[in-house]
Amino acid sequence: MRKVFLSIMLLQELKETAYISDDFKLADEKYYFPMSYLAADEIEMNDNVEIVTVVEHGEGPVNTAEKNYEVFKHELERIGLKKHAKLNFTKIEISKDFDSLTFNKFFRQIAFLLGSGDKLYADITFGMKAYTLSMFIAMAYAAKVGSGVSAERIIYAMKYSGTQEAQKVNTAKIYDLTSLFYLNAIAGEAQPGDKEGLDNLLNLIISH
């Protein structure tokens, strides 16, 4: 069994961020990336871990996404070292130049990386929406066709400004969006004529 962490790398310059959450108890450590908090919580002793990160090619001598990826890698390596976990890093390089088939090919890349027994964790905070959507669909595909594949956690961090102005620290709240994955699974299994029954089910499982 592998734990697979999937994310798309931040394109902008890194800024110190105070991460908070109503859905998770976050580690006391200060990390630059929301995925690092998820990894710190979910990686256990001696785990076999795959870190899949999408990194966009930049222009000019300095590639911000590449620089950010090195910081992210360092954060995950520190977490893995503490847990004596075996970490393997897979970087998927993408370009700003794309056509209508680019995202289908990206879906295939992600889908082929995921195998039976994988436990999936994803951060959908950063990156172009089309890549995020492709990654989500690839996870759904892997869970459908693989044996024992499950989406354990999907997170999204939303940044906002406000009372933190005086401290000059951006604040971002981390949300647990895992339920969307399983709502998508329900929709995928639905048959024509199921609407009334499934609407009633949705009323039961989603609070008003």
Side-chain angles (χ1 to χ4, degrees), residues 18 20 159-172:
I20 59 176
K159 288 194 174 186
Y160 60 89
S161 300
T163 57
Q164 300 290 334
E165 266 316 298
Q167 293 131 300
K168 299 186 184 301
V169 176
N170 286 329
T171 301

Side-chain angles (χ1 to χ4, degrees), residues 1-8 24 35 37-44 47-52 72 114 117-124 135 139 149-155 178 181:
M1 181 199 80
R2 293 188 307 175
K3 290 182 177 177
V4 183
F5 292 82
L6 304 108
S7 64
I8 300 172
F24 301 102
M35 177 61 94
Y37 287 95
L38 181 62
D41 186 49
E42 297 291 348
I43 294 176
E44 298 175 325
D47 270 346
N48 182 20
V49 180
E50 181 74 24
I51 311 294
V52 179
F72 173 67
L114 306 178
D118 283 347
K119 306 299 179 188
L120 309 180
Y121 303 84
D123 175 11
I124 59 172
M135 187 169 73
M139 290 170 61
V149 178
S150 62
E152 298 294 313
R153 283 284 180 270
I154 299 174
I155 62 169
T178 315
F181 187 89

Side-chain angles (χ1 to χ4, degrees), residues 121-146:
Y121 303 84
D123 175 11
I124 59 172
T125 301
F126 308 119
M128 190 186 298
K129 291 181 178 65
Y131 283 114
T132 305
L133 181 60
S134 296
M135 187 169 73
F136 187 92
I137 297 170
M139 290 170 61
Y141 170 83
K144 182 79 172 178
V145 302

Side-chain angles (χ1 to χ4, degrees), residues 4-201:
V4 183
F5 292 82
L6 304 108
S7 64
I8 300 172
M9 187 43 55
L10 173 68
L11 292 172
Q12 287 78 35
E13 292 284 345
L14 280 179
K15 293 182 180 177
E16 185 181 357
T17 302
Y19 286 103
I20 59 176
S21 181
D22 295 329
D23 298 327
F24 301 102
K25 187 179 186 315
L26 302 180
D28 291 334
E29 294 267 358
K30 287 186 178 180
Y31 297 117
Y32 277 105
F33 300 94
M35 177 61 94
S36 298
Y37 287 95
L38 181 62
D41 186 49
E42 297 291 348
I43 294 176
E44 298 175 325
M45 295 297 291
N46 303 310
D47 270 346
N48 182 20
V49 180
E50 181 74 24
I51 311 294
V52 179
T53 314
V54 181
V55 182
E56 183 177 297
H57 286 295
E59 297 177 355
V62 178
N63 186 336
T64 305
E66 287 282 357
K67 286 171 60 181
N68 293 344
Y69 176 64
E70 291 305 316
V71 176
F72 173 67
K73 225 177 138 181
H74 179 65
E75 288 189 346
L76 270 290
E77 284 170 343
R78 281 169 45 207
I79 292 166
L81 192 61
K82 287 180 182 177
K83 305 290 182 73
H84 301 285
K86 180 184 177 184
L87 270 58
N88 184 64
F89 290 88
T90 297
K91 180 171 69 169
I92 298 178
E93 297 185 354
I94 58 175
S95 170
K96 290 180 180 178
D97 301 320
F98 57 86
D99 57 29
S100 57
L101 293 178
T102 298
F103 306 106
N104 293 350
K105 293 174 183 176
F106 176 72
F107 159 84
R108 182 180 62 189
Q109 278 184 285
I110 297 293
F112 283 10
L113 282 172
L114 306 178
S116 293
D118 283 347
K119 306 299 179 188
L120 309 180
Y121 303 84
D123 175 11
I124 59 172
T125 301
F126 308 119
M128 190 186 298
K129 291 181 178 65
Y131 283 114
T132 305
L133 181 60
S134 296
M135 187 169 73
F136 187 92
I137 297 170
M139 290 170 61
Y141 170 83
K144 182 79 172 178
V145 302
S147 175
V149 178
S150 62
E152 298 294 313
R153 283 284 180 270
I154 299 174
I155 62 169
Y156 173 76
M158 186 170 72
K159 288 194 174 186
Y160 60 89
S161 300
T163 57
Q164 300 290 334
E165 266 316 298
Q167 293 131 300
K168 299 186 184 301
V169 176
N170 286 329
T171 301
K173 182 173 281 190
I174 300 177
Y175 295 91
D176 184 355
L177 300 187
T178 315
S179 58
L180 284 178
F181 187 89
Y182 291 100
L183 289 174
N184 178 66
I186 291 173
E189 294 292 335
Q191 300 295 322
D194 286 349
K195 179 172 172 53
E196 184 177 353
L198 288 179
D199 282 354
N200 290 332
L201 174 63

